[in-house]
Amino acid sequence: MTSIELSRLTDEWIWAYEDYDPRSERLREALCTLGNGYFATRGAAPEVTAGAAHYPGTYVAGCYNRLTSHVAGRDVENEDIVNLPNWLPLRFRIHPDDGPPGRWFSPDRERDGLLLYRQWLDLRQGTLHRALRFRDAHGRHLGVEQTRLVHMGDPHLAALRTTFTAEDWHGTVEVDSAIDGTVANNGVARYRDLAGAHLTKVRTGAAPDAADTVWLHCRTTRSAIHVALAARTRCRAGRRKPEQVLTKLAGRRAAQRLTVPIGPKKPVTVEKTVALHTSKDRAISGPLEAALERVRHAGDFNTLLGSHAAAWERLWRRADVEAPGEAGHILRLHLFHVLQTLSPHTADLDVGVPARGLHGEAYRGHVFWDELFVLPYLNLHFPEVSRALLTYRYRRLPQALRAARAIGRDGARFPWQSGSDGREETPEVHLNPRSGRWLPDHSRLQHHVGSAIAYNVWRYGQATGDTGFLHAEGAEMLVQIARFWADSAVFDDDLGRYRIKQVVGPDEYHEGYPDTDRPGLDDNAYTNVTAAWVLARALELTRELPASRRDDLFDRLDMRPGETELWDEVSRRLYVPFHRGVVSQFAGYGELAELDWEGLRARHGDIRRLDRILEAEGDSVNRYQASKQADVLMLGYLFTPAELGRLFGRLGYDMDEATWRRTVDYYLARTSHGSTLSGLVHAWVLARARHRDAWEQLQEALASDVADIQGGTTAEGIHLGAMAGTLDLLQRGLTGLEARDGVLWMDPAPLPELSEYGFSVRYRSDGGIQVRMKPGQLWVGVPPWEEEPVRVQLAWGHPQPEAGGGYVARDGAGPRDGVGFEVAPGENRLMPLPESTLS
C-alpha cells in the first residue's frame, strides 16, 4: 500500500501524527477535521493563520453564497460554501519574572525549539488532541496540551481546552482568545483568481451580562445568511485568578486577553466554549441572541466532553465497523468522517451530500452524484438521514423541471453540481493548473446524475420499506426523471433503436469528439443502460401504487395518454454500442486512437490526471481510448451480474459472463484512475472474479485520502463518496447483502486479504443486527429487542441448518439456489460457507 503517515500507537481508535511538518499540515488539517453534521472545523492549530502551510476553515452545511468574478475575458458567477469566521484562535506567549517577554508562539517560528509535537484524533470520543513542548530562545521550557471538540450532542457548540505547564520558570502566560472575521474563501489554489470575500456587515461586541464572553455577527453578501458566534473564555488555575482580562474589539476581530500567573507544578488551564448559529436555524429569534444564550448555559469543558462522548457512543453502536490491521484502521477513520458530515443532525437540515465533506472548499462544497456511493451505506444505519438527503433533491424538483424545459425536454433534469437552490452550479470554465489555461467545462452534460437520484430512491425504498416516501416524493421524482429520459431518446430509423445524444458519461475525460466544436457524446453506454433501468422501475412503481395514489400522481403530473407505453418501448429499445466484443463507452469509442501509456508514464510518472497532462502538451484526451475512472464498469457497481444480464436482455442484447469479463479487462487496461472513486468501483467489480486485482484496487481506495494519492487534493477536502464507498464495499460488496421483501439476502465473496470483519445494520427497527465474517464462516446475531425473527437467505446451495426453518427464496427471475434460515431475537446463528467463497 502507498506509504501512509501514521503513528506507532497501537490503539485502533487513535489516528495520530508525530512531529511538525509544514508540508503536511494542510493534509493533516483536513483529516483532523471535527464536525457534527451541522458544522465542521478543520484541524488547524489554534494559533495559526491562513497561509501556505495552514488553512483554518469552518463550514456550516448548506451555507452558500454567490460571487461574480472576471475570468478568461468573461464575468463568471460561482456559488460556494462559505468559510465562516474562525472560532479557533487562541495564541499565547510567556512573560517570565526574570527575563524579557517571549513572542507569540508559532510552530513555524519555533521549529528549532520544538522538543515534542504530536496531534491525534480519538475516533471513539470524537476529539482532537495536541501535545507540544518547546524551549524558547532563553532556554525556558513550556508544555502545552489541548483537546478540542465539535459537539455531537448539541450541534451548535464547540470547545477547546488548553493546559500550560511551565517547567523551569516563574511568571505569567498571556493568552489571546478570539473570533476572527477576516477570513475569506482562498483554500484552493486554482480558485484564487476568483472572488472569495463572502462576508460583510461584520460587527463585534462583548456580552452585556458576561465579562468572559465576546461575539461576532456578520452576513453573507448575496444569500443574506446571518451568522453569529459567541465565545466564552475562562481560566481554571486553582485559586489563582488572571491578573488581567482585557476585551479587545478591533474591526473584524473580537478577543479576550488573559494574563495568568504560572510556575513549576502550577499548570494553567484555559477553556474556550463557542456557540454558532445562522439565520437558517429553526426555533430561534435571531442568530446572535441564540448564540449568546447557548454559550451562557453551556457547561464547563468536562461536562461538554461527557455529553459529547456519550453522543458518539450512541453513533458507534449503530454504525461501527471491525476489521483487522491497517485496512480496519482506515475504514474506521472513513466512517468517522462520514458520520461527522452526515450525522443524525443532518436529518433536520435541507442539505445534500457535499462531495468533499465539510472539510474544505474543493468543488465549492457542491453536491454531485456522490450520494450514489453514500446512501446505500446510510440506508442500513441511518435511514432517516438517507430520507433527508433524498428530500433535498425532492425540494429542488421544480428547479429540475425548469432546467429540462429550458433545453426543450419534458420531465426533470437535475444539475451535475447543486448547491443552495438546485440550479446548475457547474462552472462554464475550469483552470488546468498544469498549463495555466482556463478551458471550457462541459461536465454539466452529465445528465446521468438523474439516474443516480432515481437509483437511490429505489434502493432506499427496498432497504427500508418506507413506502410513505417511495409512493409519494420518491414516485414523483422517479416519474419525472423517467419522463426526461423518454423525451431525450430519439428514434434512429437506420438502427431501429432509440439514441440519447450529446451527453457526458462518468468518465469525464471525454466531453466531445475529436476535431469538433460540438460538446457531448452520443450513446454513452452507462447513460443509456441506466436510463432504461429508470424507465423500467418507473413503470414497475406506478403499477404497484395503490390505484388512488396512482390516479392522484398522474393527475398532478398531467400525464398524457401513451406516456407509460413510450417508457416501456424506450426501455426495451435504447441503443448500446459494442466494438471488438466489448461494450463501447460511447458510440465511436473503439475508433479513437490507442494511447502510449508506457511512454506517458516514463515522461510523467503519475498520470492519474491524464486530461491535464495532455492538454498542457497541446493534445486532448478526447482523441484517445482512455478513461479517468470507471464508466461502462460502473454498471457492475450498481447491478449484480444477474441484474445486469436482465437489463441487457430487456434491451435485446446478450450480456454473458465472457462478454462482461472482456469488457472489464478492456477498460481496466485503459483507465488512469484520475478519481478517488475509481479504485473503489474497480475493487467492487473485481471482487468476485479476480481477488488479487480487487485487493490492489481496494488498497488504492483506502489510501486515496490518508496518503493523498491525488497529490494535494485531500488538503482541500476529503472525498466523501470514496470513504463511504469503502464502507459499503465491506457491508454489501463482499457480503452481497441486500434488504428487500422482508429478507436479508447475502451472497458472500470475501477477499483473502480481508476475509475477517464485522459490522451491524439497522433493519426493521432500531438496528443492532450483527454480521461477522470469518474464513469459512458467517455469523448473524439478532438483539433481544427485535419483535420477530430475522430471515436470512444465502444465495448459494448448501445443506439446511439443523434448526431455524428453511424456506424457498425468490427474486424477480424465479427460484434462486441457496439456503434460508431464521435467527430469533436474542439468538445468533453460525453458518459454514462453501469452498467457492474461500478462493
Side-chain angles (χ1 to χ4, degrees):
M1 181 178 288
T2 307
S3 176
I4 297 172
E5 183 185 20
L6 297 174
S7 76
R8 301 191 186 281
L9 295 177
T10 58
D11 191 329
E12 61 184 0
W13 289 93
I14 299 297
W15 188 269
Y17 298 100
E18 301 286 350
D19 300 324
Y20 176 75
D21 182 0
R23 297 168 300 177
S24 302
E25 278 300 297
R26 284 194 169 211
L27 171 62
R28 295 178 179 183
E29 289 169 1
L31 291 174
C32 290
T33 295
L34 295 182
N36 57 25
Y38 173 77
F39 83 97
T41 296
R42 286 167 58 88
E47 67 275 1
V48 304
T49 56
H54 305 282
Y55 192 69
T58 290
Y59 310 95
V60 167
C63 185
Y64 293 101
N65 188 62
R66 298 182 188 280
L67 293 175
T68 300
S69 309
H70 190 73
V71 176
R74 70 177 80 177
D75 286 333
V76 175
E77 182 179 275
N78 292 115
E79 182 178 72
D80 296 78
I81 193 168
V82 179
N83 184 16
L84 296 179
N86 183 15
W87 65 269
L88 281 176
L90 191 139
R91 57 180 180 165
F92 56 89
R93 59 184 175 184
I94 62 178
H95 286 254
D97 291 337
D98 59 352
R103 58 188 177 184
W104 294 109
F105 173 81
S106 165
D108 298 291
R109 287 196 302 265
E110 307 293 344
R111 287 180 65 189
D112 293 338
L114 278 177
L115 306 176
L116 168 71
Y117 196 94
R118 169 184 285 180
Q119 59 187 24
W120 66 96
L121 279 170
D122 183 329
L123 303 178
R124 186 188 294 276
Q125 291 200 333
T127 50
L128 175 62
H129 303 258
R130 186 172 70 143
L132 65 92
R133 180 172 175 262
F134 78 97
R135 179 180 58 244
D136 73 1
H138 301 280
R140 301 175 293 242
H141 295 80
L142 181 71
V144 182
E145 296 181 2
Q146 290 182 317
T147 300
R148 180 190 312 179
L149 62 87
V150 174
H151 207 283
M152 186 57 80
D154 186 329
H156 300 280
L157 285 178
L160 170 68
R161 180 177 64 194
T162 306
T163 298
F164 303 96
T165 302
E167 298 182 13
D168 47 17
W169 58 277
H170 291 269
T172 59
V173 59
E174 186 176 358
V175 177
D176 185 78
S177 173
I179 309 171
D180 180 15
T182 64
V183 299
N185 278 49
N186 54 22
V188 179
R190 61 189 176 278
Y191 299 165
R192 288 178 187 162
D193 290 340
L194 306 176
H198 290 278
L199 301 177
T200 187
K201 306 293 184 183
V202 179
R203 297 183 294 120
T204 59
D209 57 349
D212 56 9
T213 301
V214 295
W215 56 264
L216 182 148
H217 180 275
C218 60
R219 73 169 178 82
T220 55
T221 59
R222 287 183 56 183
S223 56
I225 300 171
H226 290 254
V227 180
L229 296 93
R232 183 188 73 196
T233 306
R234 292 175 177 172
C235 177
R236 297 188 179 276
R239 296 180 179 179
R240 290 164 293 150
K241 295 182 179 180
E243 292 182 348
Q244 191 177 52
V245 179
L246 297 175
T247 297
K248 302 177 71 67
L249 307 176
R252 292 180 166 225
R253 193 173 188 271
Q256 286 192 309
R257 189 164 295 181
L258 291 71
T259 304
V260 188
I262 192 171
K265 299 182 180 180
K266 296 179 180 179
V268 171
T269 296
V270 175
E271 295 183 359
K272 182 177 185 179
T273 306
V274 176
L276 189 161
H277 274 278
T278 81
S279 55
K280 297 182 68 176
D281 297 340
R282 299 177 181 179
I284 63 170
S285 60
L288 180 56
E289 293 83 355
L292 287 168
E293 181 74 6
R294 193 168 294 269
V295 82
R296 180 185 301 116
H297 293 288
D300 62 14
F301 189 88
N302 283 336
T303 301
L304 292 175
L305 178 60
S307 55
H308 169 72
W312 266 104
E313 184 181 0
R314 290 191 293 273
L315 287 184
W316 289 121
R317 283 202 301 264
R318 290 177 64 176
D320 191 22
V321 59
E322 296 178 7
E326 186 176 67
H329 200 189
I330 297 172
L331 284 164
R332 182 165 282 145
L333 179 75
H334 285 185
L335 178 53
F336 179 74
H337 285 300
V338 171
L339 295 178
Q340 291 194 121
T341 308
L342 303 170
S343 81
H345 297 300
T346 307
D348 197 40
L349 304 175
D350 178 34
V351 298
V353 176
R356 303 299 286 272
L358 298 174
H359 297 61
E361 294 159 20
Y363 298 171
R364 308 184 187 285
H366 288 166
V367 176
F368 291 69
W369 71 327
D370 296 68
E371 64 211 62
L372 186 63
F373 304 89
V374 176
L375 264 64
Y377 179 80
L378 294 178
N379 288 342
L380 295 175
H381 298 277
F382 302 95
E384 73 278 16
V385 178
S386 290
R387 179 169 179 157
L389 297 170
L390 291 171
T391 302
Y392 165 87
R393 292 294 193 180
Y394 178 72
R395 291 189 180 113
R396 286 149 185 81
L397 181 58
Q399 187 72 257
L401 297 172
R402 290 192 289 272
R405 288 198 298 271
I407 60 172
R409 305 273 178 83
D410 199 1
R413 180 176 72 91
F414 282 91
W416 177 238
Q417 295 189 34
S418 180
S420 60
D421 61 10
R423 75 182 77 174
E424 179 64 77
E425 302 294 353
T426 305
E428 296 182 356
V429 294
H430 68 272
L431 176 68
N432 181 354
R434 279 183 171 266
S435 67
R437 288 189 286 267
W438 288 89
L439 307 170
D441 188 334
H442 301 301
S443 58
R444 64 183 58 219
L445 296 177
Q446 292 192 69
H447 300 326
H448 62 81
V449 65
S451 294
I453 295 167
Y455 182 90
N456 274 329
V457 166
W458 185 262
R459 294 302 193 202
Y460 168 79
Q462 282 190 317
T464 66
D466 184 359
T467 55
F469 181 86
L470 185 62
H471 290 174
E473 297 97 327
E476 189 172 343
M477 281 194 286
L478 200 60
V479 165
Q480 294 290 25
I481 295 167
R483 292 176 109 174
F484 176 77
W485 286 130
D487 199 35
S488 297
V490 178
F491 191 76
D492 186 306
D493 291 323
D494 293 333
L495 288 173
R497 285 186 171 272
Y498 288 90
R499 306 181 67 186
I500 297 176
K501 299 184 177 182
Q502 283 191 270
V503 298
V504 171
D507 162 37
E508 292 188 326
Y509 275 174
H510 296 87
E511 292 190 335
Y513 288 101
D515 306 317
T516 179
D517 294 330
R518 190 195 78 161
L521 306 156
D522 299 336
D523 302 307
N524 173 253
Y526 174 84
T527 300
N528 286 14
V529 173
T530 55
W533 181 88
V534 171
L535 290 162
R537 296 291 75 73
L539 279 169
E540 182 178 344
L541 178 58
T542 54
R543 289 168 181 167
E544 290 178 353
L545 284 175
S548 60
R549 281 192 177 232
R550 181 173 57 251
D551 292 344
D552 177 67
L553 177 67
F554 282 13
D555 182 59
R556 285 190 296 107
L557 301 188
D558 193 24
M559 291 284 288
R560 298 179 295 275
E563 273 201 78
T564 56
E565 289 79 7
L566 177 62
W567 298 355
D568 186 63
E569 182 181 0
V570 174
S571 73
R572 297 178 185 278
R573 300 182 68 183
L574 268 169
Y575 175 54
V576 179
F578 285 76
H579 71 279
R580 300 181 215 168
V582 304
V583 180
S584 299
Q585 186 167 302
F586 51 81
Y589 186 88
E591 300 169 15
L592 300 178
E594 290 284 9
L595 197 60
D596 179 10
W597 292 90
E598 294 306 316
L600 279 166
R601 289 189 177 96
R603 295 198 306 274
H604 299 284
D606 185 350
I607 60 169
R608 288 184 176 90
R609 287 312 304 264
L610 187 61
D611 57 336
R612 292 175 176 175
I613 292 171
L614 292 176
E615 194 278 329
E617 293 181 346
D619 205 346
S620 170
V621 74
N622 283 333
R623 299 180 53 229
Y624 300 101
Q625 295 183 43
S627 297
K628 175 183 178 182
Q629 59 189 325
D631 192 302
V632 173
L633 301 192
M634 268 296 299
L635 296 171
Y637 178 82
L638 297 184
F639 307 112
T640 66
E643 288 177 310
L644 203 55
R646 291 195 295 272
L647 258 175
F648 274 82
R650 181 185 179 93
L651 288 165
Y653 298 100
D654 290 328
M655 175 53 70
D656 56 20
E657 183 178 353
T659 302
W660 181 245
R661 284 179 178 266
R662 285 196 304 271
T663 301
V664 170
D665 292 341
Y666 186 86
Y667 288 103
L668 193 59
R670 291 164 175 79
T671 301
S672 71
H673 303 295
S675 164
T676 56
L677 294 171
S678 190
L680 164 68
V681 173
H682 284 91
W684 189 293
V685 170
L686 295 168
R688 294 178 180 272
R690 291 161 50 178
H691 285 159
R692 180 178 297 177
D693 292 340
W695 176 240
E696 290 178 0
Q697 294 294 332
L698 177 56
Q699 287 180 300
E700 180 97 348
L702 290 170
S704 59
D705 272 334
V706 298
D708 194 18
I709 63 174
Q710 297 287 332
T713 64
T714 302
E716 303 166 351
I718 55 101
H719 298 81
L720 194 69
M723 285 190 170
T726 59
L727 298 165
D728 196 39
L729 175 62
L730 199 74
Q731 174 179 267
R732 294 192 308 127
L734 300 185
T735 65
L737 177 67
E738 290 184 66
R740 56 186 172 87
D741 303 326
V743 179
L744 283 179
W745 297 76
M746 300 187 75
D747 185 9
L751 299 178
E753 299 86 350
L754 194 59
S755 58
E756 183 172 341
Y757 56 87
F759 55 86
S760 62
V761 295
R762 183 175 181 178
Y763 177 64
R764 294 195 316 216
S765 61
D766 290 334
I769 308 299
Q770 301 291 319
V771 178
R772 298 286 182 270
M773 294 287 298
K774 290 186 177 182
Q777 294 179 338
L778 167 67
W779 182 92
V780 179
V782 177
W785 57 79
E786 284 284 345
E787 296 181 357
E788 298 178 358
V790 171
R791 302 170 67 195
V792 181
Q793 175 69 27
L794 301 179
W796 31 259
H798 194 275
Q800 291 284 351
E802 292 181 313
Y807 58 93
V808 177
R810 296 176 180 268
D811 63 8
R816 187 172 177 176
D817 292 335
V819 55
F821 60 94
E822 292 185 346
V823 185
E827 297 183 359
N828 58 71
R829 180 63 51 82
L830 182 66
M831 291 293 296
L833 299 179
E835 294 182 1
S836 60
T837 66
L838 305 179
S839 58

